Amino acid sequence: MLLKIFIYTLLFKLASLTAGDFTYNGFKGANLSLDGLAALTPNGLLRLTNISKHDQGHAFSSVPLQFKRSSMDTVISFSTVFVFSVVPEYPMYGGHGFAFVLSPSMRLLQTLPSYYLGLFNATNNRDPSNYIFAVEFDTLNNAEVADIDDNHVGIDINSLISNKSASAGFTSDDDGQFKNLRLWSGEPMQVWIEYDGLNMQLNVTLSSLGKPKPKIPLLSSTINLSSIIMDHMYVGFSASTGIAYSYHYILGWSFMMNGKVPELNISSLPQLPQTMTSSKDKTKAISIWLPVSLSVLVLMTVAAARMIMVRKKRFSELLEDWELDFELHRFSYKQLYKATRGFKDEYLLGVGGFGRVYKGVLKDTKVEVAIKRVCHESRQGVREFVAEIVSLGQLQHRNLVPLLGYCRREGELILVYEYMPNRSLDKFLFCEGKSTLSWSRRFWIIKGVASGLLYLHEDWDRVVIHRDVKASNVLLDGDMNGRLGDFGLARLYDHGGVPQTTHLAGTVGYLAPELFRTCRVTTSSDVFAFGVFLLEVACGRRPIDREKADNQEVLIDWVLANWRKGTIMETRDERLGEEYVAEELELVLKLGLLCSHPLPTARPRMRRVTHLLHGDIPLADPLLNQLITKDSTFVKYEGSNAYAMSFTSMSSESLLFSGR
Ligand SMILES: *[C@@H]1O[C@H](CO)[C@@H](O)[C@H](O)[C@H]1NC(C)=O
Ligand SMILES: *[C@@H]1O[C@H](CO)[C@@H](O)[C@H](O)[C@H]1NC(C)=O
Ligand SMILES: *[C@@H]1O[C@H](CO)[C@@H](O)[C@H](O)[C@H]1NC(C)=O
Ligand SMILES: *[C@@H]1O[C@H](CO)[C@@H](O)[C@H](O)[C@H]1NC(C)=O
Ligand SMILES: *[C@@H]1O[C@H](CO)[C@@H](O)[C@H](O)[C@H]1NC(C)=O
Ligand SMILES: *[C@@H]1O[C@H](CO)[C@@H](O)[C@H](O)[C@H]1NC(C)=O
Ligand SMILES: *[C@@H]1O[C@H](CO)[C@@H](O)[C@H](O)[C@H]1NC(C)=O
């Protein structure tokens, strides 16, 4: 008898190992293994992340599933369906996204948050011995991992660089049109992932919750998963946060080996937390307590009042007494709302470091503008900031993007700039294939940006430190002139005044080494970033590129090493072909190195830089030669950049982190 029970339990165990199918309509009592930020809410939602920044969460089914009958065999077909919702903390700016994962272990240790999605770290990304298969639902655009946009689904094999990806959406069965879906809209969405082991076909399909499964998958790919999937794998989810964060929820999940996955029972899925108390209920409550004869009238009044309130709320903004001085530069929120048809996604130009940028057309003047929505957490310092912004609006220079004005709402500052039709320089520099930007155009842009920066540093009545000079902050106007943009970060201080020391802001890869010690921005730290910018334009690559071999990863180090070897010209953008002026190119490369000299005192000032670029004075600086003979008294580049690179999670976005 005992033996029988033993055999039965053994058989049962084996069966659960091989079959392993499950359906969770909500996760109450589910056998999951959670770590990091992941938690089950009391009503049975699986919440992968919360508002903790730079962190991650994993949730795996505790039982491994058998994906192969033997290690040489093909992968058994599988299919899964789940419902998720991504709720960003700020409606304008989502966190990093999440992924459905197959992993040989349910402990994903030593993985990084942010764009690594809690799946990999800087060393094992792309390593074939990861045995990780994932489908990512990514809500930020990270150039480092070749993301296509900030709202996509991708198939990832041992790497965050997707084998195949597509903007989120579905093909409608009715009219065959592709309809976009915004992953981080907060609305629940349903996903089907199906793999046919025999034909090695993988399909990923997405739709809004409650809609039938679209016939045409969003992604369909033929992939031999035999070498990626091991005999036994754990299935689950991984999600991460960065500077920005979203709540990532899974509402229900069903998994099936070798068959068609059962559909979820949508009516029994747990409810997402309510962010607003529904005003519908209030109207109902009022009407019950009133005599029927009056209720119609009251309901009409309530409806009208609600409409006004909604309208008011929609267009509500913050205006305080001190702002009256800045009235001329103030836009009403309604004006901007209309200019962008309600900040519709189709008017989105891109996501910058601190918020989203929209294109708009001002109704009365028909002027095209770029509208940047910047989220900020506290009200402190806003007054100071607005004062700065407005005075920056008085800056007039042909190499600066004109700031037209601002608007303020709760927790949000909106900046209105003149629209630059040719967008930003990095789009031209880092695009695939042949570059459309000739050397003469590049040199022209460089000289323009230098003159813009000189104006900020020395030629205006106050010193303006830009703080975030880089190719993606150089915008191109209708005539392809380079103009420095994004003064959102710039802070002013009077000539001779004490620089701000509260925050360190800028972008990894462009930060002068002394900033990590002092957090004190100076014109000289701007010059450092300008030096990196020069190298970017001449070499046609980003300052830090993890896809490159170790000794080429950091642009400055690589150019410097080549210069020491006497091969500096070999670092030029090879897409230029033979069409470049060697003297100019060499000047730009060497000047780039000099400007990004590790010692602040060794960097030239912008006036000198402009003279050098215009050939008014020759570049024959003894300091340059000191760089060649690797003097140990120098602050080493390698050290500072290794430090910068330890902020791997921060990607190429501008960032702001508290200093002392
Ligand atoms: C969950 O699964 C693990 C691994 O099979 C098992 O040891 C554990 O007892 C299960 N827990 C529950 C509550 O079923
Ligand atoms: C997020 O979740 C983790 C784990 O449940 C918890 O320790 C942490 O306090 C939470 N953070 C916030 C800001 O609620
Ligand atoms: C990355 O993860 C692997 C394990 O997957 C680990 O061996 C390695 O040490 C990690 N690297 C870092 C830098 O944490
Ligand atoms: C795609 O998948 C294969 C494995 O099937 C892998 O070797 C390759 O590096 C992947 N990545 C890309 C970007 O194609
Ligand atoms: C994937 O989609 C294609 C096209 O709709 C379909 O023919 C194929 O059967 C699907 N495969 C799986 C595994 O669902
Ligand atoms: C799939 O990959 C496995 C392992 O690399 C290989 O043995 C098998 O022949 C491949 N199957 C096909 C159909 O190419
Ligand atoms: C779905 O869930 C609802 C509510 O829990 C239940 O009444 C209904 O029978 C379920 N339907 C199916 C097909 O299981």
Side-chain angles (χ1 to χ4, degrees):
M1 184 65 197
L2 265 177
L3 189 69
K4 236 183 186 170
I5 292 176
F6 177 74
I7 287 172
Y8 268 61
T9 39
L10 195 71
L11 277 177
F12 179 75
K13 278 234 163 103
L14 278 176
S16 71
L17 266 181
T18 48
D21 309 331
F22 55 79
T23 298
Y24 296 124
N25 289 299
F27 294 90
K28 268 187 186 161
N31 196 354
L32 298 179
S33 152
L34 308 179
D35 70 31
L37 299 180
L40 288 182
T41 67
N43 72 337
L45 283 167
L46 170 57
R47 188 180 65 207
L48 296 167
T49 57
N50 56 19
I51 59 174
S52 292
K53 294 182 187 183
H54 295 296
D55 215 332
Q56 52 190 313
H58 301 117
F60 282 98
S61 173
S62 306
V63 187
L65 301 180
Q66 186 174 8
F67 279 86
K68 284 184 199 171
R69 287 184 189 85
S70 76
S71 51
M72 297 311 291
D73 211 356
T74 50
V75 172
I76 301 172
S77 300
F78 63 87
S79 58
T80 184
V81 58
F82 59 88
V83 174
F84 72 89
S85 162
V86 179
V87 185
E89 175 71 359
Y90 295 110
M92 286 301 120
Y93 197 42
H96 280 271
F98 74 100
F100 169 79
V101 198
L102 300 188
S103 159
S105 156
M106 58 177 172
R107 300 259 164 265
L108 284 177
L109 304 169
Q110 294 172 304
T111 53
L112 289 172
S114 302
Y115 68 83
Y116 291 97
L117 297 177
L119 293 175
F120 305 106
N121 60 33
T123 47
N124 72 359
N125 188 17
R126 305 184 82 190
D127 186 343
S129 64
N130 286 322
Y131 300 105
I132 297 271
F133 166 80
V135 178
E136 64 170 40
F137 299 82
D138 196 343
T139 51
L140 271 185
N141 185 353
N142 287 103
E144 287 87 344
V145 289
D147 281 347
I148 52 166
D149 61 18
D150 65 347
N151 183 47
H152 61 269
V153 181
I155 299 170
D156 296 349
I157 291 173
N158 291 329
S159 161
L160 287 156
I161 299 177
S162 302
N163 271 58
K164 196 164 185 182
S165 57
S167 281
F170 64 95
T171 307
S172 162
D173 289 344
D174 302 332
D175 54 10
Q177 298 279 318
F178 188 79
K179 307 263 166 35
N180 288 305
L181 288 174
R182 196 153 52 94
L183 294 173
W184 41 281
S185 63
E187 298 297 323
M189 287 174 209
Q190 196 162 3
V191 178
W192 294 262
I193 298 170
E194 295 148 303
Y195 184 68
D196 175 345
L198 206 62
N199 298 312
M200 301 185 300
Q201 190 175 42
L202 178 79
N203 288 353
V204 180
T205 314
L206 180 69
S207 86
S208 311
L209 184 60
K211 298 275 163 58
K213 180 184 165 197
K215 289 203 178 67
I216 300 174
L218 174 62
L219 288 169
S220 187
S221 186
T222 307
I223 303 180
N224 184 356
L225 287 180
S226 314
S227 56
I228 293 116
I229 291 187
M230 299 176 112
D231 297 7
H232 288 90
M233 301 280 273
Y234 290 88
V235 292
F237 299 93
S238 175
S240 72
T241 61
I243 312 174
Y245 35 87
S246 304
Y247 294 96
H248 294 96
Y249 292 104
I250 309 291
L251 290 77
W253 179 26
S254 180
F255 193 97
M256 177 95 172
M257 294 301 305
N258 223 348
K260 195 177 172 309
V261 67
E263 289 296 320
L264 294 169
N265 183 351
I266 289 168
S267 58
S268 60
L269 294 180
Q271 293 286 315
L272 285 166
Q274 226 48 55
T275 42
M276 279 174 284
T277 45
S278 158
S279 38
K280 233 190 282 172
D281 298 343
K282 278 183 207 149
T283 7
K284 220 184 332 182
I286 293 169
S287 68
I288 290 166
W289 292 106
L290 283 169
V292 182
S293 59
L294 266 181
S295 65
V296 174
L297 185 71
V298 168
L299 270 179
M300 275 170 66
T301 327
V302 168
R306 251 192 71 209
M307 261 175 69
I308 293 168
M309 263 172 61
V310 167
R311 231 183 128 72
K312 260 203 152 148
K313 193 156 185 237
R314 179 186 294 165
F315 296 128
S316 74
E317 48 190 85
L318 275 184
L319 183 62
E320 291 174 76
D321 286 348
W322 55 264
E323 281 176 85
L324 295 176
D325 295 347
F326 309 132
E327 224 167 7
L328 277 178
H329 304 277
R330 176 100 191 190
F331 281 88
S332 76
Y333 184 64
K334 196 169 162 183
Q335 235 176 328
L336 303 181
Y337 189 90
K338 291 215 162 122
T340 54
R341 306 257 168 103
F343 293 99
K344 274 222 180 85
D345 284 353
E346 58 195 274
Y347 290 84
L348 195 62
L349 289 174
V351 182
F354 292 91
R356 320 196 129 241
V357 188
Y358 294 83
K359 182 183 175 181
V361 181
L362 294 179
K363 239 190 164 151
D364 29 359
T365 55
K366 301 272 172 281
V367 169
E368 287 186 317
V369 289
I371 301 177
K372 181 163 195 164
R373 305 186 69 156
V374 184
C375 290
H376 59 85
E377 280 163 44
S378 75
R379 261 166 129 171
Q380 268 177 342
V382 173
R383 180 175 184 163
E384 185 194 16
F385 194 80
V386 168
E388 286 175 11
I389 287 291
V390 171
S391 62
L392 287 175
Q394 296 159 8
L395 291 171
Q396 300 271 337
H397 190 274
R398 66 178 182 284
N399 296 109
L400 299 179
V401 178
L403 178 75
L404 304 177
Y406 80 104
C407 172
R408 219 155 62 82
R409 306 186 83 205
E410 192 72 53
E412 190 180 30
L413 184 68
I414 306 174
L415 303 172
V416 184
Y417 295 95
E418 200 175 300
Y419 177 67
M420 295 288 125
N422 285 314
R423 316 280 290 271
S424 58
L425 177 59
D426 60 328
K427 304 259 177 339
F428 288 89
L429 281 182
F430 310 136
C431 60
E432 294 280 316
K434 194 168 154 42
S435 173
T436 47
L437 217 52
S438 67
W439 172 253
S440 60
R441 179 54 62 189
R442 292 187 199 206
F443 197 48
W444 175 254
I445 292 170
I446 286 174
K447 287 194 280 195
V449 172
S451 123
L453 199 55
L454 171 64
Y455 176 75
L456 292 180
H457 283 182
E458 298 179 32
D459 289 348
W460 199 46
D461 49 354
R462 267 175 293 174
V463 174
V464 180
I465 299 178
H466 186 283
R467 286 174 164 240
D468 208 6
V469 176
K470 56 178 174 178
S472 56
N473 270 345
V474 170
L475 297 161
L476 300 172
D477 65 16
D479 301 324
M480 294 292 280
N481 291 308
R483 286 170 177 252
L484 263 173
D486 209 345
F487 295 93
L489 284 172
R491 284 183 173 267
L492 294 171
Y493 67 96
D494 293 314
H495 278 291
V498 182
Q500 296 280 345
T501 53
T502 45
H503 285 106
L504 172 53
T507 303
V508 168
Y510 304 82
L511 293 170
E514 73 273 10
L515 283 176
F516 292 102
R517 278 176 284 114
T518 61
C519 281
R520 202 155 124 207
V521 295
T522 56
T523 50
S524 155
S525 55
D526 261 2
V527 171
F528 183 95
F530 179 77
V532 179
F533 163 75
L534 290 181
L535 299 182
E536 271 184 299
V537 178
C539 308
R541 53 155 284 194
R542 293 175 194 280
I544 296 178
D545 187 345
R546 298 202 176 79
E547 295 302 312
K548 294 264 194 301
D550 274 355
N551 61 345
Q552 298 194 8
E553 208 168 0
V554 177
L555 180 57
I556 305 178
D557 293 346
W558 179 55
V559 177
L560 182 61
N562 271 284
W563 186 29
R564 285 182 179 142
K565 283 191 298 189
T567 54
I568 193 167
M569 291 300 275
E570 283 173 22
T571 61
R572 70 171 190 273
D573 188 349
E574 48 197 36
R575 292 174 304 175
L576 287 170
E578 294 307 312
E579 285 156 37
Y580 59 90
V581 182
E583 297 75 40
E584 288 173 0
L585 190 67
E586 190 172 340
L587 170 70
V588 168
L589 286 166
K590 287 185 177 171
L591 188 57
L593 285 181
L594 186 61
C595 288
S596 44
H597 195 289
L599 280 180
T601 48
R603 295 171 208 151
R605 301 184 65 81
M606 280 318 290
R607 172 111 27 225
R608 193 174 163 77
V609 170
T610 336
H611 284 317
L612 284 164
L613 282 171
H614 286 89
D616 302 342
I617 43 174
L619 180 68
D621 204 311
L623 281 163
L624 266 167
N625 297 324
Q626 259 178 289
L627 272 174
I628 304 184
T629 55
K630 203 170 180 175
D631 188 333
S632 61
T633 57
F634 277 16
V635 184
K636 285 211 322 232
Y637 283 113
E638 288 84 351
S640 68
N641 282 299
Y643 191 88
M645 286 178 66
S646 68
F647 289 90
T648 42
S649 56
M650 292 181 170
S651 81
S652 64
E653 308 157 23
S654 304
L655 53 100
L656 181 70
F657 44 96
S658 302
R660 39 212 77 194

